[in-house]
Amino acid sequence: KNEKTSPFHGVTARCEEKLKESERIAEEKCMAATEAKETEQNTLSIANALKEEMKNLTQLVKTIEEKANTKERELNRINDTTKIALEKSKESIEREKARKNEAQKKADTILEEIKNEFDTAETEWAKAIKLQDASELEANEAEEALKQAQKALMEASLKFEEA
């Protein structure tokens, strides 16, 4: 029989149209699935690249933190050393001040002793001059007395001879 006259002609045509439509939709879905798969692979590649970049950034952050910690330790060590040096310097300055004060006290004491000794020597010198003057006066008086005694002896000798 002729297909056009067949009672299934309309059904077959519609089935063929639906089949073609289904094939077209399946092809579109297949293409969409392929694009989705490619997009998924691209997304996975990007995700893996981002994951690797995150690893690199994490490592970089760790390295920076380690360097920062090292620098902080160095700064703390320098700070501690500076504090110790400053303390030693302060102690040295205090010792030097104490030494200078002690030396000044000793110098003042020695100066006072020298002044007292000078005053004593000056007094003793004045006494010695007075004694020297008195001794010279006594020596002059004794010399005069000796002359008088010699004169008296001569006179007595002459009188003795006359007698």
Side-chain angles (χ1 to χ4, degrees):
K1 288 190 172 183
N2 191 351
E3 284 186 24
K4 290 187 179 180
T5 58
S6 164
F8 298 107
H9 173 67
V11 172
T12 303
R14 275 189 307 227
C15 281
E16 283 178 1
E17 279 180 28
K18 283 197 176 192
L19 181 62
K20 284 182 183 178
E21 181 64 24
S22 292
E23 284 177 350
R24 186 187 60 74
I25 290 171
E27 195 176 306
E28 284 178 3
K29 285 185 177 181
C30 187
M31 286 176 65
T34 303
E35 286 177 14
K37 186 70 174 173
E38 287 175 1
T39 302
E40 180 185 359
Q41 285 178 347
N42 287 342
T43 304
L44 277 173
S45 292
I46 291 169
N48 286 335
L50 287 173
K51 203 182 218 182
E52 190 63 32
E53 189 62 27
M54 280 301 291
K55 272 193 207 168
N56 291 340
L57 288 174
T58 302
Q59 185 59 42
L60 182 61
V61 166
K62 284 181 183 177
T63 302
I64 290 170
E65 285 176 344
E66 287 173 4
K67 286 182 179 180
N69 289 337
T70 301
K71 289 294 180 188
E72 184 179 11
R73 284 190 301 274
E74 285 178 20
L75 287 174
N76 287 339
R77 184 185 53 76
I78 290 169
N79 193 27
D80 291 345
T81 303
T82 303
K83 283 179 183 177
I84 291 168
L86 184 60
E87 269 307 308
K88 286 182 179 180
S89 179
K90 284 180 182 177
E91 290 171 3
S92 177
I93 289 170
E94 289 301 317
R95 281 194 306 274
E96 186 62 22
K97 281 182 183 177
R99 189 191 65 74
K100 282 183 180 178
N101 286 340
E102 188 62 30
Q104 185 63 46
K105 284 179 188 176
K106 285 181 180 178
D108 290 345
T109 302
I110 291 170
L111 187 61
E112 187 64 31
E113 288 173 1
I114 289 171
K115 184 178 179 273
N116 290 340
E117 286 177 11
F118 180 76
D119 289 346
T120 302
E122 198 172 48
T123 303
E124 290 297 320
W125 183 68
K127 284 181 184 176
I129 293 227
K130 284 182 184 177
L131 284 175
Q132 183 182 0
D133 287 346
S135 294
E136 283 180 13
L137 186 59
E138 286 177 5
N140 287 340
E141 287 176 356
E143 190 179 342
E144 192 56 38
L146 181 61
K147 284 182 185 175
Q148 295 275 338
Q150 281 178 345
K151 189 176 177 185
L153 179 63
M154 291 259 259
E155 286 177 2
S157 259
L158 283 175
K159 283 187 184 178
F160 177 74
E161 281 184 20
E162 284 179 9

